[in-house]
Amino acid sequence: MNLAQYTKEFRYNLRLAMPIILSMLGHTLVGVIDNAMVGKIGTTELAAVSLGNSYIFLVLSFGIGFSTVITTLTAEAHKMNNFKWGKSILKHGILINVLMSLFLIGLLFFSESLMRITKQPENVITLAIPYINLVAISLIPVMFFQSFKQFSDGFSLTKYSLYVTIIGNIVNVILNYLFIYGNFGCPKLDILGAGIGTLASRFIMPFFLWYFLYKDKKTSGYVVGFKWNSLHKETIKKLINLGVPSGLQMIFEAGVFIVAIWISGKLGTNYQASNQIALSLASMTFMISAGMSTVAMIRVGNYKGLNDYINLRRVAFSIFLFVLISQIFLALLIFSLKDILPILFLDSENLTTIQNVNFVIEDASKLLLIAGIFQIADGLQVVALGALRGLQDVKIPMIFTFISYWLIAFPVSYILGVYTDLKTSGIWIGLLLGLTFAAIMLVMRFVLLSKKLILIHHKNI
């Protein structure tokens, strides 16, 4: 095997992925800043915002996964030079995504019932529900933004969503400062002030992204002059048929990680702290793989539009190789720093005794050993999903993800975490098993499917 044919793609892939990765870091930073600013009010308020955001994220995961179909189809249409089809994708994508946001808002009305079923503290629920109701409205502009973002990604214009994320972050921080604490004559609204910052920043983001696309010569004609009285059932059907399985893939994965947090909470504060440390580190390293997953979706979609299945397969393999190498490197780094990294995450206010601190460091170190291997499997499964979405193959991968996370990861995590002495290590062993199964099945699916497409294409030449 000639590795050079794969490694030569590394630089271009990374250049395409960097704005996506930085944009994801920006979204994560918003959550960190919100938590830090709300945390100054009190621990109950912080718990309420964290709980509220976990429910919003779970619901929104479906919408974000659903919207990725726009990138897949746009990347294909762009390489086919099919302006009419590309514009139709965006128009119908905006319509369906906005309607989708209304459905997602409806799901959030069940938040309070779910909180009570999961036995969350009553004082936290009382604060979280008004916050969720306010931020729920922001799902409309979020899905509007996702339409333009996924379209922009399909044109490989990944930098624009980064610019808009930076603008949104600045607006969010300023409004948080004004309305959480009541500065400069603004009303002091506590956690609702954080909700106003989130809501306002999300409303401006789609308009800024539209402006960037309008000013770009490649895309200016696509984002104006929509004829909303002319809709096509076949386009809507295609978007739904590809979007729903993609959305379910994402919610299956997001859901099992949220459940893992709840399971660790049942074990006690110290176990929850060590679990959160490992999860925070895994989330940061995952962003590299998630960015590369979008690149896989874009580039596979491009080559699909050109009917060039040989280069399609080669480019996908180059992304798999890059993720494998980068995640192995990060795993070794985590292994070597497993006793040091937990100290950086410790909350001295919640861990008041030396015994607690030592316990969390020791438990988190064990989890980081699993997390190193975990992120290799996690990276491979997410880039394989991206490549398969680029091929518009979503239904079988949806089944694989359901089996991986809910028939393997969840029961193993729950049984080992709650009923054995493994505790949080048991939770992570379950997640590792589920992700490993997903990685193997999804990579094999892409290898076999891409090979089949090459053979079919050669027969038809």
Side-chain angles (χ1 to χ4, degrees), residues 111-300:
S111 298
E112 185 172 358
S113 299
L114 192 55
M115 287 179 188
R116 297 193 188 284
I117 290 170
T118 54
K119 299 179 180 179
Q120 302 300 318
E122 189 62 36
N123 58 339
V124 174
I125 294 176
T126 302
L127 290 175
I129 294 303
Y131 174 80
I132 290 175
N133 291 340
L134 178 61
V135 176
I137 302 168
S138 74
L139 297 187
I140 298 172
V142 165
M143 293 305 293
F144 197 15
F145 170 77
Q146 281 298 124
S147 303
F148 288 125
K149 179 199 177 300
Q150 301 297 347
F151 175 80
S152 177
D153 287 349
F155 269 80
S156 300
L157 299 171
T158 55
K159 59 185 178 181
Y160 292 147
S161 59
L162 172 60
Y163 299 159
V164 174
T165 299
I166 293 170
I167 294 169
N169 282 358
I170 293 170
V171 171
N172 184 55
V173 170
I174 292 172
L175 293 180
N176 277 1
Y177 180 74
L178 294 176
F179 290 104
I180 291 176
Y181 310 122
N183 289 312
F184 294 100
C186 295
K188 184 177 182 297
L189 300 175
D190 295 333
I191 69 169
L192 288 182
I196 287 174
T198 300
L199 184 63
S201 64
R202 287 179 174 177
F203 262 103
I204 67 168
M205 288 173 69
F207 294 103
F208 272 101
L209 186 50
W210 175 87
Y211 178 77
F212 284 128
L213 293 171
Y214 175 68
K215 285 296 183 180
D216 193 295
K217 291 180 181 179
K218 292 181 183 177
T219 54
S220 59
Y222 289 89
V223 298
V224 293
F226 294 121
K227 296 179 181 178
W228 294 106
N229 61 340
S230 175
L231 298 174
H232 302 287
K233 290 182 180 178
E234 287 302 314
T235 305
I236 293 172
K237 185 178 178 181
K238 189 174 184 67
L239 286 167
I240 291 173
N241 285 343
L242 293 175
V244 169
S246 296
L248 289 173
Q249 290 168 11
M250 197 155 185
I251 206 168
F252 289 155
E253 183 173 3
V256 81
F257 277 93
I258 289 174
V259 168
I261 293 172
W262 290 345
I263 295 172
S264 70
K266 287 171 65 71
L267 302 177
T269 303
N270 290 340
Y271 286 111
Q272 192 171 34
S274 60
N275 180 77
Q276 191 59 44
I277 289 169
L279 191 59
S280 297
L281 286 166
S283 297
M284 285 191 285
T285 58
F286 177 74
M287 288 177 191
I288 297 172
S289 302
M292 282 295 173
S293 177
T294 301
V295 172
M297 185 163 48
I298 294 168
R299 300 204 66 192
V300 167

Side-chain angles (χ1 to χ4, degrees), residues 259-260 262-268 410-428:
V259 168
W262 290 345
I263 295 172
S264 70
K266 287 171 65 71
L267 302 177
F410 170 66
V412 174
S413 291
Y414 188 82
I415 292 169
L416 294 183
V418 176
Y419 296 107
T420 75
D421 292 334
L422 288 170
K423 304 298 184 183
T424 44
S425 294
I427 295 173
W428 278 70

Side-chain angles (χ1 to χ4, degrees), residues 3 9 131 140 201 272 278 286 310 317 326 339 390 393 436 456:
L3 281 178
E9 300 288 344
Y131 174 80
I140 298 172
S201 64
Q272 192 171 34
F286 177 74
I310 292 175
F317 282 3
S326 64
D339 296 319
D393 178 56
T436 301
I456 292 172

